[in-house]
Each structure stands twice: as C-alpha cells, then as structure tokens.
Amino acid sequence: MQTDFLVIGSGIAGLTYALKVAEACPDKTVTVLTKTQSDETNTKYAQGGIAGVMDFDKDSFDKHIEDTLIAGDGLCNRHVVEIVVKEGVERIEEIIEWGANFDKEKDGDFKLGKEGGHSESRILHHKDVTGREMERALLEAISRKPNINLLHHCFVLDIITQHHLGYLITKATPDVECYGVYVLNLQTNKTEKILSKITLLASGGNGQVYRSTTNPAIATGDGVAMVYRAKGRIENMEFIQFHPTALYEPGIRGHNFLITEAVRGDGGILRNHAGEAFMERYDERKDLAPRDIVARAIDNEMKIAGTENVFLDCRHFSKEKFTEHFPNIYEKCLSIGIDITKNMIPVTPAAHYSCGGIKTDEYGKTSIKNLYAAGECASTGLHGANRLASNSLLEAMVFAHRAYQDSVSNLNLRKDVPLGGILVGDWKTDGTTAPKEMILITQSVKELKLLMSDYVGIVRNNERLHRAMKRLDLLYVETEALYQKTIVSPQLCELRNMITVAYLIVKCAEFRHESRGLHFNTDYPGKLEMIQNIVL
Ligand code: FAD
Ligand code: SIN
C-alpha cells in the first residue's frame, strides 16, 4: 500500500493533522492508522479541558506563558511556550468550527475552569468529558473527508528506514529517512507494509509502563520505542507526570478513573486519614500548587500514615453545583457507593503524562527525515520538567498544525519521488512460530510495571534506579529472545516497546544529577545551575 501522508494515531494530534493535510491537498491520499478502535485514545479520557487565553480583561498571553514556565521549572523552551500560548487560541477556534462544544455561561461567554499552577481561570471544558467531546467532533469531521482513509485495528510494528534496505544505521548515520511503516493488520492477522512520502507519529503516551495509571491500555509508548529503534533522538524521558488524584479503588489497577484537577479548582480539599487539610504544610498555593508538588505531598502523607490513598473532600459542594460541572465523576463515585455530598473521595497519584518523548523542532520535525511527531509522544520544549495542567491538548493541536504546514511544503518538494522505486522487503517471519504460552508475556508485563512503580515512581534514588536497570536488562534479554522466535502479536510488541520506554526513563533519570520538576532524586535533592535537556 502507498499513501502520500501517513498518520499513526487517531487522538487529537493525529486527527487534527489529518484533517488539515486532507483539506490542503484534496488530490492526495491521507491514511490514519490506529491500533484498536478509532476513538480509544488518551484524548477520549481528557476531563479538565484545554487551556487558552479567552478573557483578555482578566487574563493575558504573558500570564499563561509565565505559568507554563514556572511549572516547567526552568527547562521549557520559552520560544516554544510563546508559540503554543499565542497560536493556541486560533486552534481552539478551529476545533469549535469543526463542531466541538465547550460549556458557556448564560451570557454566551465560555465557562472557564481553573487548575493547578494557573494564575487565572482559563480552562475551556465540556463538563468533565472534554476529551470525549473533542474526539467526537474530530472523528465526525474526518468522516466527511473523502481523501482520508481511517484504518482501525492496525498495529504499527516499526518505522521503515534505510535499515530495511540493508544498510547499517547507527545514531551517527546522517539523513536517516522514513519510508513508511510495517503494520500488523489485526483483522486479517497479516503483516503489511505501507509506504508513505510523509509520516506523522501521533501515538500518544506511555502510562501503561506503571502499575497505576490514568491512561488506557493503548498507552504503551510504541512511537517513542520505534523512533529509538530507528536511531532517532529521544529527550527528557525522566519527566513522568503523576496525576495527584486518580480514584482509589482497592484491586483496580491499570486504568484508574481520574478525578479531574478542576474539582480542586472549584474548591475540593485534599485531606489525609486524620482529616487534616495537609497541602498548606507543603505550598502556599495549597491544593492548587503544580502537580509535581501536590503528588509528592500526597506520596509523603501516604508513606507517613502507611496508607494507599488520601481523600478529596467535596462534601461542602451542593449536589447541583457538583453535577453541573462533573456529572461523570458524580455518577462514577455513586456507582461504587460514594456519595460525594456525604463521603470523601479516596484518591491516589497515578502515572498520567509523559513530558519527554521524540525530540522535535518547532515544526514537529524529528531527527529522521520525512518523519514528524506531535502530541504526547513528542518532546517539543513546551513542558520542560513538568507540564502545566490542560496544556497538552493545546500543544497537540498547535504542533499538528505546524507539522501540517511544514509537511505540505515538504511534500511539494518530494512530489516526483516514486514510492514504488523504494525496494523495501516484506516483514521477515523466517524461523518464527506461534507463541506457546502467553504467560511468558503477561508475567513480564507485571514485573515491568511493578519495578517501574516501586523504583522509578514519584520519588527516586540512585540505588532504586540501579536496581531498576538491572531488572530491565533481564527482561530485555528474555523478551528479545522470545521476539526472535515468535510470530508478532500486539501483546509481545507492546511488552518490547514498554521495556524500551522504561529503559529510556531510567537512563534519563540516571543522567540527571539533580531534582527538577517531576524528577525527584533524594541523592541529588538540589538543582544544578547548568540547566540541560537529556537527549538519547
Ligand atoms: P492519544 O490521544 O493517546 O492517541 C494515540 C493514538 O495512537 C491512538 O489512536 C492509538 O491507537 C495510536 N497508537 C499508539 N500506538 C500505536 C501503534 N503501535 N499502532 C497504531 N496506532 C497506535 N490533557 C489536557 O490538556 N487536558 C485534560 O483535561 C487532560 N485530561 C486527561 C485525562 C486523562 C484521564 C488522561 C489519560 C490524559 C489527560 N490529558 C489531558 C492528556 C491528554 O489527554 C493527552 O496527552 C492527549 O490527548 C494525547 O493526544 P495524542 O493525540 O498525542 O495521543
Ligand atoms: C485533569 O483534568 O485533571 C487533567 C488535566 C490534564 O492532565 O491536563
């Protein structure tokens, strides 16, 4: 199969880009691949909303820029922050034109929520299901574009580069080029190759590397692992954001329900098991301090009390006020016997967002030619050491737009390059057989999640990182041996990708001899004066 534009991922970044290139180039083909159902993405689960300066009487670009820089703890690229904050407003207007609805006041102004680290109310939202609404609008707009082919249940295995033409590729090889991807079509169970002139990776996050995460099962860091294997540049993987308030349900781990930060924005108070509102002991911004501070405070309270959760107290809300903004959370809590007007909500931190990822420039270009990255899999320089709440949906749209601009002119330069002339071989299956027992994969996944949660979580130290690396080495060796002799499956490939991503997180964490933003190492509690990004 051949296509002009190939998009890996059907979340906000992939769909925004696909719509734009399809609109700009109606005579070109756009193929979007997604590994399960089209709407099963991190995007669908976004609750709080999208940050944007809408009320210029109270708010300003400068304030949003400043809040982003403060949260990023010295590591944001100021130029990129300015781009995202300023261009973001236009992107928000665009998605509204495509049909997304955000809540409004009676006078027609947007209802703007507040979240941790924001000095003003600037979060547009659709009740507490903002991502679901945005994903719906994008998928509907995609279905109206005849030149977009959205293929679900297509698991991308690897990016095709000169390596697949038989050349030896290393990190030092100049001009590594992307020619497309190998895909496991889960409907036919066949491995296919798709050649493309331009490819965008919009493959989302990697929360599944941890035992407790707000991310759905698809978030296994496949894009980052593929680019690393293809010798592309990966950056700042140590900055894993733990959301302070995932719902604590004993026995439920893997995809924890989120209690949006907007609940604290509206007045929810964190309390420990003694009933104490403890955040005032940690930061003057209390419950609305940036996420790294709140998550570490909760972690500390849980360790002191020997508990697995703290509480979010919303008992002072009226039912009407709570259900107007948070109907989904109200229903979810009620379904497990928690009436938020009478009971406190048990909450615990959970892996939520990857601030680092595939290194890109300000147009989403990666270090591999004709390969772009946008959304959570990318490291653009916006988030630095800690992402400001609700900046992620914004970044995804701004960078999808910028990648579209650049790739359309790139395609024009390459319009005469015949894809058929590239002699890429078929996926090799020689010597592989069907897996004998899945336990070899499922047990390794469990071990991986456990070691990452216990050794590479909210608080780290050198001994823990060292142990994590040793155990990862063993998992790597065992999994590679299995991979060489087994017919590929999503489960095996995801395990392999998660081991690579875990390795990158630990390696970056080992290189950072300081505590900054989301990376807190008790052996290096201070900050280094020389601020740097870690690029592998
Ligand atoms: P995703 O939306 O995750 O999409 C990834 C796509 O890649 C999927 O279609 C998947 O199938 C595909 N894919 C992955 N690997 C492969 C493969 N090997 N082959 C084929 N396809 C593949 N951010 C905010 O700004 N505001 C919020 O309120 C907010 N709330 C959140 C709440 C929750 C519970 C979560 C989990 C995240 C939240 N975030 C929020 C973060 C934000 O939702 C994500 O960062 C963002 O949606 C990521 O979008 P994306 O397009 O990069 O990836
Ligand atoms: C939330 O709603 O608390 C999540 C917002 C985000 O991750 O940006």
Side-chain angles (χ1 to χ4, degrees), residues 8-14 33-38 40-50 115 130 135 154-157 202-205 214-216 218 220 222-223 226 255 258 352-353 374-377 387 389-394 396 497:
I8 301 159
S10 59
I12 187 161
L33 304 176
T34 179
K35 67 177 171 180
T36 60
Q37 299 94 298
S38 305
E40 188 56 4
T41 58
N42 271 9
T43 301
K44 183 172 89 173
Y45 295 93
Q47 289 190 0
I50 180 163
E115 290 176 5
T130 311
E135 184 76 21
C154 282
F155 188 101
V156 176
L157 300 166
S203 51
T214 61
N215 293 190
I218 55 116
T220 51
D222 300 351
M226 283 186 247
H255 181 188
L258 182 72
H352 182 61
Y353 185 85
E376 192 166 339
C377 68
R387 176 181 66 105
S390 288
N391 263 357
S392 159
L393 297 170
L394 190 72
N497 291 337

Side-chain angles (χ1 to χ4, degrees), residues 166-416:
Y167 294 97
L168 177 68
I169 304 290
T170 69
K171 284 266 181 209
T173 308
D175 294 338
V176 177
E177 201 167 336
C178 173
Y179 303 120
V181 297
Y182 286 112
V183 176
L184 175 60
N185 183 331
L186 298 170
Q187 297 183 76
T188 60
N189 233 0
K190 292 226 160 60
T191 310
E192 297 158 7
K193 63 179 182 247
I194 303 182
L195 299 181
S196 56
K197 289 191 176 161
I198 306 283
T199 303
L200 173 85
L201 264 171
S203 51
N206 58 35
Q208 284 295 326
V209 165
Y210 288 88
R211 194 168 36 153
S212 295
T213 175
T214 61
N215 293 190
I218 55 116
T220 51
D222 300 351
V224 169
M226 283 186 247
V227 169
Y228 187 68
R229 279 198 291 275
K231 312 295 181 211
R233 297 284 166 202
I234 307 294
E235 178 176 69
N236 291 349
M237 291 295 288
E238 70 277 33
F239 297 122
I240 299 294
Q241 184 170 74
F242 286 78
H243 197 292
T245 58
L247 179 64
Y248 173 69
E249 294 180 86
I252 302 250
R253 279 196 162 128
H255 181 188
N256 298 53
F257 184 84
L258 182 72
I259 307 293
T260 173
E261 197 156 297
V263 174
R264 276 175 285 134
D266 278 10
I269 299 165
L270 286 163
R271 294 189 188 278
N272 57 22
H273 277 253
E276 184 197 3
F278 57 85
M279 271 315 297
E280 58 198 40
R281 280 195 276 108
Y282 292 87
D283 194 284
E284 60 185 18
R285 290 161 289 185
K286 300 185 201 168
D287 298 277
L288 283 179
R291 271 185 201 165
D292 56 330
I293 295 169
V294 181
R296 267 198 303 278
I298 295 176
D299 188 60
N300 196 40
E301 291 294 319
M302 291 184 344
K303 287 203 168 104
I304 291 170
T307 57
E308 291 197 340
N309 70 290
V310 294
F311 295 99
L312 186 59
D313 190 356
C314 300
R315 291 172 298 178
H316 50 290
F317 284 64
S318 70
K319 182 180 164 192
E320 290 66 36
K321 183 177 170 212
F322 195 89
T323 49
E324 191 191 329
H325 192 167
F326 310 112
N328 194 36
I329 294 176
Y330 181 82
E331 284 306 324
K332 171 69 191 180
C333 288
L334 209 55
S335 76
I336 56 167
I338 298 164
D339 176 347
I340 67 95
T341 61
K342 298 193 182 88
N343 318 110
M344 294 196 287
I345 308 173
V347 290
T348 191
H352 182 61
Y353 185 85
S354 174
C355 294
I358 304 159
K359 185 173 169 50
T360 73
D361 71 2
E362 63 191 71
Y363 286 95
K365 276 194 281 194
T366 71
S367 57
I368 297 179
K369 268 174 83 180
N370 305 321
L371 181 70
Y372 294 76
E376 192 166 339
C377 68
S379 177
T380 64
L382 173 71
H383 307 306
N386 180 28
R387 176 181 66 105
L388 184 67
S390 288
N391 263 357
S392 159
L393 297 170
L394 190 72
E395 182 203 37
M397 289 203 298
V398 169
F399 271 85
H401 175 82
R402 295 190 135 243
Y404 131 77
Q405 286 178 318
D406 199 82
S407 46
V408 166
S409 37
N410 189 356
L411 185 82
N412 287 336
L413 292 176
R414 308 188 67 238
K415 60 175 179 286
D416 300 326

